[in-house]
Amino acid sequence: MVKFICKLCSKFMVPAALQCHEEPCEIAFKEKANHLPGRKLNIGFTTRAKLNRLLDEGDITPQQKLPLEEPLIKHAQFVDVRQRAESDIEDVLYFVERFPHLLPYHGPEEHDLLGEEFLNYQTMPMISLQDETEMESFWAEMATRKHKVTGAKEFERLAAVAKLVLVLPHANADAERVFSVVGLNKTKRRNSLALDGTLSSIMTIKMANLEPCFEWEPPSDIIKASKKATGQYNHADIS
């Protein structure tokens, strides 16, 4: 373990800071003076080559950082029930304005109704919220919650905004997965599949249902409609 820690420290610390210490606990790894400059960090040849290529192509900059200050990330904190006290109605309205076609809550009246739902959400006692660790489960319950007297949904608008936030992609994995499926279907031997034809149909089926096609059992009405269409086609062909 001592050798491993020393090896790990050598990746980002100057050699002089490690030469005079035998015990890892004596290494002043927090001192900035002992840190290697960014260009000398030992991150491996492959990673270094990748970073250099991205720098040359302009995809990243030397000062690039994680998007922790991205407004979308900062405003999305309201979906976390544990941070609702630190949130504000402006966090919710940010998504209403950014996605106007998906969240049709525009105008002063709608904003006031959304604000009332948000205040009720903020002031609800913790025993009612149950402090769900899974945000998806929590907001699914909030979306169905109804007023005891009127029977109307208490958080119809707020839950819709929260569910939109929860389905926003946090990476490009889904897009890469689609490209992979396309590559598996449109091969050198099947290079005539049209994007707006057969290939599109294959992609739709595979993305809509992950189960093998031979396990799918069509409903009786589909079978009936298929037989009827087949009969009509055969009759027209014979005629």
Side-chain angles (χ1 to χ4, degrees), residues 182 186 192-201 203:
V182 171
K186 189 170 184 178
S192 298
L193 294 178
L195 179 61
D196 57 349
T198 305
L199 181 60
S200 177
S201 301
M203 294 294 297

Side-chain angles (χ1 to χ4, degrees), residues 158-171:
L158 186 63
V161 179
K163 288 192 287 186
L164 179 138
V165 174
L166 291 173
V167 300
L168 289 174
H170 59 275

Side-chain angles (χ1 to χ4, degrees), residues 17-232:
L18 305 174
Q19 292 172 351
C20 55
H21 299 293
E22 294 183 359
E23 296 295 332
C25 58
E26 298 176 354
I27 300 175
F29 60 89
K30 291 185 178 181
E31 294 291 336
K32 290 186 177 181
N34 294 333
H35 294 176
L36 288 169
R39 64 182 183 279
K40 291 188 176 181
L41 288 175
N42 294 286
I43 57 177
F45 176 80
T46 303
T47 305
R48 177 71 65 186
K50 176 70 172 180
L51 287 175
N52 289 335
R53 184 178 65 80
L54 293 175
L55 283 169
D56 294 338
E57 295 176 354
D59 292 334
I60 62 173
T61 64
Q63 293 78 30
Q64 190 122 10
K65 299 179 180 179
L66 292 174
L68 299 179
E69 299 299 322
E70 165 65 33
L72 187 144
I73 297 177
K74 298 178 69 175
H75 289 296
Q77 69 174 355
F78 83 91
V79 301
D80 187 351
V81 63
R82 292 159 294 193
Q83 299 188 55
R84 71 190 192 282
E86 292 78 26
S87 303
D88 189 83
I89 183 59
E90 296 300 325
D91 295 325
V92 182
L93 294 178
Y94 169 85
F95 293 97
V96 174
E97 295 174 1
R98 182 159 180 172
F99 304 100
H101 301 294
L102 300 176
L103 300 171
Y105 307 130
H106 312 296
E109 185 177 352
E110 285 292 333
H111 286 188
D112 287 341
L113 293 172
L114 192 57
E116 290 180 10
E117 291 185 10
F118 181 78
L119 291 177
N120 291 337
Y121 163 61
Q122 275 193 317
T123 56
M124 288 176 65
M126 282 301 299
I127 189 172
S128 299
L129 297 172
Q130 299 179 352
D131 195 21
E132 293 281 351
T133 54
E134 292 291 336
M135 292 297 102
E136 294 87 350
S137 302
F138 170 77
W139 283 105
E141 190 275 332
M142 291 285 281
T144 60
R145 195 182 183 98
K146 295 183 179 180
H147 195 279
K148 294 182 180 179
V149 178
T150 63
K153 293 183 178 181
E154 287 189 84
F155 303 99
E156 180 179 5
R157 295 167 179 78
L158 186 63
V161 179
K163 288 192 287 186
L164 179 138
V165 174
L166 291 173
V167 300
L168 289 174
H170 59 275
N172 63 347
D174 289 337
E176 293 293 341
R177 194 174 295 114
V178 172
F179 295 146
S180 178
V181 175
V182 171
L184 291 173
N185 287 274
K186 189 170 184 178
T187 62
K188 291 182 178 180
R189 294 186 178 183
R190 304 172 65 189
N191 57 6
S192 298
L193 294 178
L195 179 61
D196 57 349
T198 305
L199 181 60
S200 177
S201 301
I202 293 175
M203 294 294 297
T204 301
I205 294 173
K206 290 196 173 185
M207 294 175 65
N209 189 358
L210 299 179
E211 296 182 359
C213 59
F214 56 82
E215 293 184 1
W216 180 67
E217 296 183 3
S220 58
D221 56 336
I222 293 182
I223 296 177
K224 184 177 180 180
S226 300
K227 289 182 178 179
K228 182 179 179 180
T230 303
Q232 292 175 346

